[in-house]
Amino acid sequence: MPRFLSLVDLAIIAYFLIGVEAIWPFREKRFKEEAFINAGFLGLEGINGRIIGVGDWNGDQKLDLFTLDENKKTITVNLWNKEKFSFTSAHTLTLSSTISNIVPGDYNHDGHLDLLVMYVQNDDGGWWGSKNEKLGMEIFLGGAEDGGFQTASWKLDSSLPTQPIVFDADSSLKPSLLGLVPTEDKTDGLLRTWLNNSTGLALGPTPLRSPEQACTLANPHSSAFIDIDGDCLPDLVLHCAQSKSSLRSIQIWLNKGKSGFELSKSYDLPRGSGPLSFGDINRDGSIDIIFPTCAQQSKSTGIGTECNLNVAYNKQVPICSTEVSQSTKEGALRCRGWGELCTPDDNFQFTFDSSDPDFTSVPFSTLLSDKTGSSVGGILLHLPDQPEIPLPIRIGDYNVDGFPDLLLTVQSIVKGGVLASKEVNQVKILVNVPCSKNVPGCEGTAKSKRGFRVGSGKAWEALDSITDAEGASWMDLDDDGSLDILVQRSGAQSGERIAFIQNNFYHDAFFLKAQVLNGACEGECEPVQGGKAYNPLGVSYSGATYKFTVLDTEGHRVAQQVAQLPQTGYHSLHTPYAYFGLGRTNNYVEKLFIGTSLPQGSHSTYLESIIPNSQIIINPPYPISSDENNDTNDADRVLSREYSPVKSRSKEWKSQLYLKPGDWVPWVGVAVFSTTIILGFIVLGLNEREKKEDEKERRRKLHAINFQAL
């Protein structure tokens, strides 16, 4: 007998034929091709200046951009709009002077992002860096009722044109400045500190133990506030100019807590060295130094020729196989335990000798050679006709394998015909790869060192098609967990000055994003004078350090170190968070160590069993003064808290984890849901079958004849 469809069956069929599109849980992907994709201008089309700053202005955990107009007098705050997937112009700031640089930061420690603006004083058309020229500085406070700038601002004492760097001078988690101030008797200026006291930044002595040994900062310079000896305390790396010479050198001042910074080591850099960058290139848990050297460079074009890529590896004690550190009989550190990564190594060492296996130097012409017939004419060291704005090599892990890659702008000579050729500026990525026989730069290096290959191919066409590049930097568009590329252009190719390149490659690996705040507020910020509470997630701390170990798929434990906002001068364009790839791992991050410049003993903490593909927000404790803790002696006093724009400060380390689900997570949910439905139908079917069998058995018993009763 034929079986007719029931109403339930018809409803199920209608559901799958008609309503499946309406309730489909997966959004259509904005970018589908697995490649670098030109995402367009994202709301910044038509701008005639440059992007000079990056930060989270409104504390929504989305990256905002600060642009400077062509006249260099107006700054525009462009906020990210997630729904429109573009930037929107929100606030402007106009000065009468020529603006040189901006540094976003929370200078009054109220949980709002502020803006330090550096501008040219005595601008009479003289050559940049003339003795009569000074650098004016003013801090424009954020947190106005409309979300923009307050009417009041802090005006700072002037410096020389050599831009000061941001650092923590007194373990207060407040940004102070270190730079050169003009003097009547010294043409090179005097190294001083603009100390932050929450009501302004006042000039004072430097926290260096022997300030007479301090060098003269180069202009421009690549000084950094970053942990060098591995103790998770940020140290000072000063990029120095040698007197009456074009040679450069560096000084490393180790952070000794309340007793200041101690000069540890000095090194002369190779001749023709360019701007310095910092990163853990070989993934050994220590910060290395990366920089170019060029035989010649043009001030008019910014192009350096006959250039080499140089990597000076930081030689420190290795990571132990045990959780606890081990020492020799003499007490020297033999290795760091993977559970004690913030143990200092006072015997760290760099070398800048090309014959040493711990120093790699390889020509860019070898690294950037390809099969397209183009050749490398040089690399862009600074903006054309603007030697005061260097373009360093940018460090970022685009393929999340745990080994940072290099982003730079090169001059390519492209063949246009039989004899014709043209010079174009392109952005290139040098992919960090293991050393092997055919990898450029690996000859004579230690086995643990790395080599680089230029990224090329059809998937890279969106990047290679830009021929008027004037710098590039890493950023995470829409905070989707992949490192994308911001390309700044001259406008010669299409008239546009900005391009965003979306990284849409699929990598079978995990990432982690982390951000250390400045301890300004306990949770949400509540103003002392009343008003609406707000979130302080936009105020990052310059100089924070992350160290951790992960297990790779073969069970080997590897260490990694990443810095947060180590450099702030000369349009550094560092993101307010740290992004690092974890590579392929089948485990949690065992221990993530976080270091700041709080007093020694309380400057670091760690988190255990961190889930990959997540973002960690860490809020350190605000330093406690003797007024708040009677057990604290005078030597441990960090600062006075007489002025406090918010009601409550963070009293202890706190962290928040935001999980970023991968594309596969919804499919797992569908699989689990479908399996549950199928198993439910099976159970219902078996239950119905069991009921029918029981009914048959009951009926048989009713019809059975009891012959013994007859």
Side-chain angles (χ1 to χ4, degrees), residues 30 80-86 478:
R30 186 181 300 273
W80 177 252
N81 189 315
K82 183 176 179 62
E83 286 70 27
K84 296 181 180 179
F85 198 77
S86 65
D478 204 35

Short mmCIF file of all heavy atoms in Angstrom, two decimals, residues 30 80-86 478:
data_model
loop_
_atom_site.label_atom_id
_atom_site.label_comp_id
_atom_site.label_asym_id
_atom_site.label_seq_id
_atom_site.Cartn_x
_atom_site.Cartn_y
_atom_site.Cartn_z
N ARG A 30 33.99 38.22 2.50
CA ARG A 30 34.27 39.45 1.76
C ARG A 30 35.37 39.21 0.74
O ARG A 30 35.31 39.72 -0.39
CB ARG A 30 34.68 40.56 2.74
CG ARG A 30 34.84 41.92 2.09
CD ARG A 30 35.26 42.94 3.13
NE ARG A 30 34.28 43.06 4.18
CZ ARG A 30 33.22 43.85 4.13
NH1 ARG A 30 33.01 44.59 3.05
NH2 ARG A 30 32.38 43.92 5.13
N TRP A 80 37.70 53.37 12.71
CA TRP A 80 37.29 52.19 11.94
C TRP A 80 35.82 51.90 12.19
O TRP A 80 35.37 51.82 13.33
CB TRP A 80 38.14 50.99 12.31
CG TRP A 80 37.73 49.73 11.60
CD1 TRP A 80 37.11 48.65 12.14
CD2 TRP A 80 37.91 49.43 10.22
NE1 TRP A 80 36.89 47.68 11.18
CE2 TRP A 80 37.37 48.15 9.99
CE3 TRP A 80 38.47 50.13 9.14
CZ2 TRP A 80 37.39 47.54 8.73
CZ3 TRP A 80 38.49 49.52 7.89
CH2 TRP A 80 37.96 48.25 7.70
N ASN A 81 35.08 51.72 11.10
CA ASN A 81 33.67 51.37 11.15
C ASN A 81 33.52 49.94 10.68
O ASN A 81 33.66 49.65 9.49
CB ASN A 81 32.84 52.32 10.27
CG ASN A 81 31.35 52.13 10.45
OD1 ASN A 81 30.85 51.01 10.48
ND2 ASN A 81 30.63 53.25 10.56
N LYS A 82 33.23 49.04 11.59
CA LYS A 82 33.18 47.62 11.26
C LYS A 82 32.04 47.29 10.30
O LYS A 82 32.19 46.48 9.40
CB LYS A 82 33.03 46.79 12.55
CG LYS A 82 33.06 45.28 12.32
CD LYS A 82 33.01 44.54 13.63
CE LYS A 82 33.02 43.03 13.40
NZ LYS A 82 34.25 42.57 12.73
N GLU A 83 30.87 47.92 10.50
CA GLU A 83 29.72 47.63 9.64
C GLU A 83 29.99 48.05 8.20
O GLU A 83 29.63 47.34 7.26
CB GLU A 83 28.47 48.34 10.17
CG GLU A 83 27.87 47.73 11.43
CD GLU A 83 28.74 47.95 12.67
OE1 GLU A 83 29.49 48.96 12.69
OE2 GLU A 83 28.67 47.13 13.58
N LYS A 84 30.63 49.21 8.01
CA LYS A 84 30.92 49.69 6.66
C LYS A 84 32.25 49.18 6.12
O LYS A 84 32.55 49.37 4.94
CB LYS A 84 30.94 51.23 6.66
CG LYS A 84 29.61 51.86 7.00
CD LYS A 84 29.71 53.38 6.95
CE LYS A 84 28.38 54.04 7.28
NZ LYS A 84 28.48 55.53 7.26
N PHE A 85 33.03 48.54 6.97
CA PHE A 85 34.36 48.04 6.61
C PHE A 85 35.18 49.17 5.96
O PHE A 85 35.75 49.06 4.88
CB PHE A 85 34.27 46.85 5.65
CG PHE A 85 35.54 46.04 5.58
CD1 PHE A 85 35.88 45.16 6.59
CD2 PHE A 85 36.40 46.18 4.51
CE1 PHE A 85 37.06 44.43 6.53
CE2 PHE A 85 37.58 45.45 4.44
CZ PHE A 85 37.91 44.57 5.46
N SER A 86 35.26 50.28 6.68
CA SER A 86 36.02 51.42 6.18
C SER A 86 36.30 52.37 7.34
O SER A 86 35.76 52.23 8.44
CB SER A 86 35.25 52.16 5.09
OG SER A 86 34.08 52.74 5.62
N ASP A 478 40.32 45.14 10.46
CA ASP A 478 39.10 44.60 11.05
C ASP A 478 39.37 43.60 12.16
O ASP A 478 38.47 42.89 12.60
CB ASP A 478 38.21 43.96 9.97
CG ASP A 478 36.75 43.91 10.37
OD1 ASP A 478 36.29 44.86 11.05
OD2 ASP A 478 36.06 42.94 10.04
#
